[in-house]
Amino acid sequence: MRIRQFVINQVAHAGDKAVKMPSERELCRKFDVARGTVRRAMEDLVREGYLVPKRGMGTFVNPEKSGAYRVQLTRNIGLILSGGMMVNITGNFQQELAGAFAALARQEVSVQFVNFTARRPADTLADVAALGFDGLLWLHPPALHPEMQEYFFAHYDRLVIVNSWALPGWKNVVLDDYQGAMLKGTAELIAHAGADVAFVGRDDSHPDARQVYTAFEELFARRGLQRPPGYTIPADDIARPLGRLLRTRHPRAVYSQGGEFGRAAMEVLAREHGSLPPGFMFLCQDAPEMERLPPAVKIRRIAKPDYFQLGKAGMLKLLKLMNPAAAAGCRPGVVKIPRSGKNNG
């Protein structure tokens, strides 16, 4: 499939030129595959009319498959998935992918998935370079590989990133502003409870959480506060340490990441409601079961983004960059997607 896409991309951009394909030996070396694999791929492409072999001269692109119209038909988009999304497609990611493909309605393009976490970063770069993508949409690049992000931005003008945060130098970003909402809610929580806040979720040392926790510490520092030791509950075992913390320290607030962390924290809060001080505040990301908490608990909910619109906006921005006429007048920038739902409490 990699050889096939490489050849089709060459055909699409040949125009009226008599472009000669690399030899079988060159393709073997380029893609690090056996000669039989190259031969089967080339035979299939000849049979489908993309290539024309000429005795004694080599194999050339078929002019009938080239030209401006065919270039439009064979634009190739790379969809880079991060964080194990290829094997763990959650409901949020399903919505995001559905939105991205909805933006491709009536668009004559091909889409190939690239699993960023499948192998070493160098292998991902090699795949992307060999496939010759006309545009790249990267869903949620991980914070632990900044060198990869720098490489993509240095080599690809037609690259759009969908993420909850943007780094300096990122040119085309679709931002769900989820982290901004978290920090705003956390600032409210600190103003309410001071340093007396228990955190439930990934440990501070987790690469994906480190940046958020650093921002939290800055919020504490601005108010002259220092988070008490032992007030972070790692995700491995939430129930016992959080229950013990609520009974012995009686913190005035709890912040919890969403998903399984939020559900586990809510179960403990419901069970230990007698230990909660008056005016207790609970801040959580995307937890749907909040109505189960005692009425005395003040709830601040960070609603999740509209993932369908997030994926759609990312793909539409990429298509605009890939359109030469539109790209000439297109200014790089950030698109913000509003969060869905309403805050409770």
Side-chain angles (χ1 to χ4, degrees):
M1 290 302 297
R2 291 169 57 201
I3 296 169
R4 174 186 176 83
Q5 191 57 55
F6 169 77
V7 171
I8 290 177
N9 191 62
Q10 297 294 311
V11 172
H13 291 84
D16 56 358
K17 299 176 183 177
V19 177
K20 182 179 178 180
M21 288 292 101
S23 67
E24 288 184 357
R25 180 174 297 176
E26 290 171 326
L27 290 173
C28 287
R29 189 163 51 248
K30 180 178 181 65
F31 293 98
D32 191 25
V33 295
R35 195 159 187 170
T37 302
V38 172
R39 186 165 297 164
R40 286 196 300 274
M42 298 297 279
E43 288 173 352
D44 288 344
L45 290 162
V46 169
R47 186 165 52 251
E48 294 173 29
Y50 287 101
L51 300 177
V52 178
K54 296 186 178 181
R55 186 179 297 274
M57 298 176 64
T59 303
F60 294 78
V61 305
N62 184 352
E64 295 180 2
K65 289 281 189 177
S66 298
Y69 179 67
R70 286 294 173 182
V71 171
Q72 179 73 11
L73 286 179
T74 53
R75 289 184 302 169
N76 184 26
I77 291 176
L79 191 55
I80 307 178
L81 305 183
S82 299
M85 291 168 63
M86 286 286 277
V87 295
N88 185 27
I89 301 295
T90 64
N92 295 342
F93 292 148
Q94 288 176 10
Q95 287 295 308
E96 201 164 340
L97 291 173
F101 281 99
L104 293 176
R106 297 182 295 278
Q107 296 285 335
E108 297 291 348
V109 298
S110 63
V111 177
Q112 292 198 57
F113 291 98
V114 179
N115 187 6
F116 178 81
T117 57
R119 294 178 295 159
R120 297 176 303 161
D123 295 325
T124 304
L125 293 180
D127 280 351
V128 170
L131 290 167
F133 291 117
D134 298 299
L136 289 170
L137 181 65
W138 196 352
L139 302 179
H140 312 291
L144 62 160
H145 286 296
E147 74 283 1
M148 298 294 296
Q149 297 158 19
E150 292 173 7
Y151 176 89
F152 280 114
F153 273 109
H155 291 80
Y156 292 94
D157 292 329
R158 295 182 294 263
L159 165 66
V160 173
I161 276 184
V162 176
N163 211 17
S164 58
W165 42 273
L167 293 179
W170 285 11
K171 294 180 288 187
N172 298 292
V173 183
V174 175
L175 194 65
D176 63 28
D177 205 25
Y178 195 36
Q179 187 186 88
M182 269 194 298
L183 295 180
K184 185 176 179 181
T186 305
E188 179 185 333
L189 183 130
I190 294 172
H192 170 79
D196 204 11
V197 181
F199 287 79
V200 175
R202 294 186 179 92
D203 189 79
D204 300 42
S205 61
H206 191 284
D208 291 340
R210 192 178 303 139
Q211 186 177 19
V212 175
Y213 276 110
T214 299
F216 288 170
E217 298 295 352
E218 291 175 357
L219 291 174
F220 275 99
R222 285 178 205 160
R223 298 183 62 87
L225 301 171
Q226 184 174 3
R227 180 150 51 107
Y231 268 43
T232 297
I233 310 297
D236 296 339
D237 180 17
I238 294 172
R240 288 184 183 177
L242 180 57
R244 185 164 52 248
L245 185 67
L246 293 173
R247 290 191 300 272
T248 59
R249 306 271 189 100
H250 307 289
R252 296 182 60 208
V254 165
Y255 161 88
S256 177
Q257 295 179 356
E260 61 185 86
F261 309 146
R263 286 191 292 273
M266 281 186 288
E267 289 176 4
V268 176
L269 290 173
R271 189 165 59 246
E272 302 288 343
H273 64 90
S275 303
L276 305 180
F280 181 88
M281 184 174 177
F282 179 58
L283 171 67
C284 188
Q285 309 167 26
D286 341 323
E289 306 91 344
M290 287 192 170
E291 61 276 5
R292 299 180 187 174
L293 291 179
V297 175
K298 183 179 180 182
I299 298 172
R300 174 75 157 82
R301 178 180 179 181
I302 306 298
K304 64 182 179 181
D306 186 333
Y307 282 94
F308 182 88
Q309 291 300 327
L310 199 61
K312 185 175 182 180
M315 187 62 78
L316 288 174
K317 191 171 183 66
L318 178 60
L319 291 171
K320 187 173 183 179
L321 289 175
M322 291 170 60
N323 183 335
C330 178
R331 295 176 116 191
V334 174
V335 176
K336 289 189 177 182
I337 302 297
R339 299 181 305 282
S340 63
K342 297 181 179 179
N343 291 336
N344 295 329

